[in-house]
Amino acid sequence: MKGKGNDGKGDISERDLWKTSQELWNTLDKEYNFHFDCCASKDNSKTDFHSSDFESVKKEDIVNMMCWMNPPFSKALKMFKHFFKVVEGGVAIYRCDNMETRTWQDIILENADWVFIPIGRVSYTPFETGNMRKGMGTRFPSALIGINAPPPQGIEGKTLFIRQEEAK
């Protein structure tokens, strides 16, 4: 019998619609002034510019734009590969309870400048599915991941510097 515990996959499509809480967004946007929401629809985008098909976005489409990404869980590996391929500067959020996964080991930790672990669990804005309300808190911790952007200053937590020259 399989328990309800975390199986480590994290690619559960029911979690794809979880939205960044407005409180966290406001704090981060005040600091970074995001221009492009990488994985958002018109209905849940946090910026004027967004993509619901991020894999089709080219580097030249988002030149000089500070990017934000809260990837759909079921597509996180693909989204992070593309994020580090096309984004010049940005911040992403992702679960950090399974840092031994390919997404973390092969993509995030190979390409990020830093990983920031906030104190406490990140809450997500509930989304509506028919008459059901889903989302809110998580069973897992989250991390902010940055490339060509400074670590956040307005949030309590710890920064892990990935690039050796920045850690010195």
Side-chain angles (χ1 to χ4, degrees):
M1 181 174 175
K2 190 172 181 177
K4 290 186 175 184
N6 184 352
D7 67 3
K9 288 181 68 178
D11 60 356
I12 300 166
S13 60
E14 290 86 33
R15 294 182 182 159
D16 285 356
L17 299 176
W18 287 13
K19 297 186 284 186
T20 307
S21 75
Q22 196 61 47
E23 180 182 4
L24 176 60
W25 169 258
N26 291 345
T27 300
L28 293 171
D29 189 46
K30 182 177 179 182
E31 185 168 349
Y32 295 106
N33 190 26
F34 294 113
H35 298 101
F36 185 77
D37 195 339
C38 297
C39 300
S41 68
K42 184 178 111 174
D43 296 330
N44 71 357
S45 179
K46 300 287 189 184
T47 64
D48 290 337
F49 301 101
H50 61 275
S51 177
S52 58
D53 182 20
F54 182 52
E55 288 178 286
S56 69
V57 172
K58 296 178 179 92
K59 192 172 198 137
E60 55 268 19
D61 296 334
I62 54 175
V63 171
N64 297 322
M65 288 189 175
M66 181 57 71
C67 298
W68 166 254
M69 186 174 77
N70 180 354
F73 277 31
S74 68
K75 299 177 183 177
L77 180 66
K78 288 180 188 178
M79 295 301 106
F80 273 105
K81 280 182 181 178
H82 198 64
F83 182 80
F84 289 113
K85 181 179 173 184
V86 302
V87 169
E88 289 180 351
V91 177
I93 191 168
Y94 191 57
R95 62 187 295 168
C96 66
D97 59 333
N98 291 322
M99 294 178 87
E100 75 280 2
T101 63
R102 283 186 59 211
T103 302
W104 276 100
Q105 293 290 318
D106 295 346
I107 308 303
I108 297 171
L109 295 175
E110 286 292 319
N111 295 286
D113 292 333
W114 50 263
V115 173
F116 180 84
I117 312 293
I119 292 178
R121 297 282 163 104
V122 171
S123 292
Y124 292 85
T125 302
F127 61 92
E128 303 289 333
T129 309
N131 294 328
M132 295 177 59
R133 229 176 140 202
K134 297 183 179 182
M136 301 200 297
T138 64
R139 294 182 305 167
F140 51 83
S142 296
L144 297 171
I145 299 128
I147 181 170
N148 294 322
Q153 299 298 308
I155 302 172
E156 199 174 351
K158 299 291 182 194
T159 303
L160 307 171
F161 289 97
I162 307 299
R163 305 275 181 227
Q164 290 300 317
E165 60 273 9
E166 295 200 23
K168 293 179 181 179

